[in-house]
Amino acid sequence: MTLTFRQVRHFIATAESGRVSAAAAALNVTQSAVTASIKALEADLGHKLFDRHSNGVTLTVDGQQFLQRARAIEASVSDAMRGPHRWGTQVDGTVDVAVSYTVAGYFLPPLLSRFWRSFPGITVRLHEFQRDAIEQSLVKGSVDAAIMLVSNLHDRRSIHSRLLLRSPRRLWTCANHPLLRKDKVTLADLAGEPYLMLTVDEAERSAMRYWQRTPHVPNVTFRTLSVEAVRSMVATGMGITILSDMVYRPWSLEGHRIDVKVLDDDVHTMDVGLAWKSKARLSPAARAFCEFVAHAYPGSEPIQFD
């Protein structure tokens, strides 16, 4: 196998954007370079990583599994490039970090594990809040930073943020659902289907932002705070939903398959980011945490403190 870090980066960017063209633009390379990287990677692994569609690509089951490994590779390389000299001396102290439910469950654990290995002297105290409470805690100074869904950030004057990850939203269905056989699927095609609405972390508010751009409304048959309840119900054919790739898993807890499909409509991504109070004086521990998180996602813009 001749796996290269360039192939890994091209694969991750394509998986996160759902389009080769968007991945190429984000990495400032040509589409042909990204396509060649992915084809070579699939040949080396002996597995198909993407299903190709007219409006983009979706990860196969093998692709979903490799994405976790690819992110671990990217994170390890980022740590190695940063090196032990990045902050000069060992940093000690405590940092208070606010997180949302989705971030705590589906984004944060591997990141924190790496941080604690790099900074054993720093204690991270986590506080799980809803979005409005996170913003209030940042402005009041009761927490140093937050990792949250920045696409819902309201007070952009008092709070700075830095995008870490854009997670595409796709249609979730049970295996062999008739919608999977259509060349193109739009929100109009979904309007008559039983729809399972996730409500945690303002998910319903986010969903209605793209539904309200159409003359259609979802036929909501059940609302729940539980991602796992939605996952199980979709897998058993009780309904469909639209959720982000960050919370997607191909199997329910009961072992039933969940398939995904890219929508032809413009459905915005779920954006995870780092947030901190503007003009705040961050402690060395808080600054180390923020810089570490920023370096863990090297594809986005450099972090700038006041």
Side-chain angles (χ1 to χ4, degrees), residues 128-240:
E128 185 180 300
F129 300 134
Q130 295 183 0
R131 190 267 314 156
D132 56 350
I134 291 178
E135 294 194 33
Q136 291 170 16
S137 64
L138 284 170
V139 173
K140 290 179 181 178
S142 56
V143 299
D144 300 296
I147 300 179
M148 59 186 295
L149 305 184
V150 293
S151 44
N152 294 340
L153 185 62
H154 177 71
D155 189 352
R156 298 181 183 273
R157 177 174 296 180
S158 303
I159 299 171
H160 289 330
S161 66
R162 195 255 204 200
L163 178 67
L164 300 174
L165 172 69
R166 290 191 188 276
S167 181
R169 286 182 167 94
R170 294 188 285 174
L171 170 67
W172 292 18
T173 77
C174 63
N176 301 316
H177 194 286
L179 287 170
L180 298 173
R181 296 193 290 271
K182 292 176 65 70
D183 291 334
K184 294 184 179 181
V185 175
T186 67
L187 293 176
D189 297 315
L190 309 187
E193 298 284 337
Y195 193 93
L196 304 169
M197 181 67 78
L198 186 67
T199 59
V200 71
D201 268 356
E202 301 178 303
E204 183 169 8
R205 173 188 169 192
S206 295
M208 294 313 298
R209 281 168 54 195
Y210 48 79
W211 276 102
Q212 287 169 355
R213 292 199 294 265
T214 76
H216 310 287
V217 294
N219 176 29
V220 178
T221 57
F222 184 61
R223 287 179 169 85
T224 179
L225 292 165
S226 172
V227 178
E228 295 307 321
V230 171
R231 199 188 312 279
S232 293
M233 291 179 178
V234 168
T236 54
M238 295 178 63
I240 61 170

Side-chain angles (χ1 to χ4, degrees), residues 43 47 52 65 79 93 95 108 158 182 201 214 216 224 230 249-250 275 284 289:
H47 297 292
R52 278 75 173 175
Q65 293 174 348
D79 288 348
V95 55
L108 193 62
S158 303
K182 292 176 65 70
D201 268 356
T214 76
H216 310 287
T224 179
V230 171
R249 305 291 182 272
F289 177 83

Side-chain angles (χ1 to χ4, degrees), residues 41-294:
L41 186 57
E42 289 178 323
D44 282 341
L45 294 174
H47 297 292
K48 185 179 179 182
L49 300 176
F50 291 102
D51 286 322
R52 278 75 173 175
H53 311 284
S54 59
N55 59 340
V57 296
T58 57
L59 287 167
T60 63
V61 173
D62 289 322
Q64 284 285 344
Q65 293 174 348
F66 184 71
L67 180 59
Q68 306 305 316
R69 298 185 180 95
R71 284 176 171 157
I73 292 170
E74 184 180 50
S76 297
V77 172
S78 178
D79 288 348
M81 292 296 291
R82 181 173 58 247
H85 59 279
R86 176 66 178 82
W87 282 269
T89 59
Q90 180 63 45
V91 181
D92 299 309
T94 299
V95 55
D96 287 280
V97 180
V99 296
S100 65
Y101 170 86
T102 304
V103 165
Y106 298 94
F107 180 83
L108 193 62
L111 183 64
L112 271 186
S113 177
R114 291 172 49 218
F115 179 76
W116 282 326
R117 288 197 298 270
S118 298
F119 292 94
I122 296 180
T123 299
V124 179
R125 295 190 298 214
L126 297 176
H127 309 269
E128 185 180 300
F129 300 134
Q130 295 183 0
R131 190 267 314 156
D132 56 350
I134 291 178
E135 294 194 33
Q136 291 170 16
S137 64
L138 284 170
V139 173
K140 290 179 181 178
S142 56
V143 299
D144 300 296
I147 300 179
M148 59 186 295
L149 305 184
V150 293
S151 44
N152 294 340
L153 185 62
H154 177 71
D155 189 352
R156 298 181 183 273
R157 177 174 296 180
S158 303
I159 299 171
H160 289 330
S161 66
R162 195 255 204 200
L163 178 67
L164 300 174
L165 172 69
R166 290 191 188 276
S167 181
R169 286 182 167 94
R170 294 188 285 174
L171 170 67
W172 292 18
T173 77
C174 63
N176 301 316
H177 194 286
L179 287 170
L180 298 173
R181 296 193 290 271
K182 292 176 65 70
D183 291 334
K184 294 184 179 181
V185 175
T186 67
L187 293 176
D189 297 315
L190 309 187
E193 298 284 337
Y195 193 93
L196 304 169
M197 181 67 78
L198 186 67
T199 59
V200 71
D201 268 356
E202 301 178 303
E204 183 169 8
R205 173 188 169 192
S206 295
M208 294 313 298
R209 281 168 54 195
Y210 48 79
W211 276 102
Q212 287 169 355
R213 292 199 294 265
T214 76
H216 310 287
V217 294
N219 176 29
V220 178
T221 57
F222 184 61
R223 287 179 169 85
T224 179
L225 292 165
S226 172
V227 178
E228 295 307 321
V230 171
R231 199 188 312 279
S232 293
M233 291 179 178
V234 168
T236 54
M238 295 178 63
I240 61 170
T241 195
I242 300 170
L243 288 176
S244 81
D245 282 357
M246 192 175 80
V247 300
Y248 173 72
R249 305 291 182 272
W251 306 100
S252 71
L253 292 176
E254 301 79 17
H256 299 297
R257 175 67 187 269
I258 300 166
D259 281 327
V260 293
K261 190 173 182 66
V262 174
L263 290 163
D264 203 52
D265 288 305
D266 182 19
V267 175
H268 59 267
T269 57
M270 185 173 76
D271 298 345
V272 180
L274 175 71
W276 65 96
K277 182 181 178 181
S278 61
K279 300 181 181 179
R281 288 181 174 269
L282 295 180
S283 68
R287 197 178 188 94
F289 177 83
C290 290
E291 291 186 357
F292 182 94
V293 171

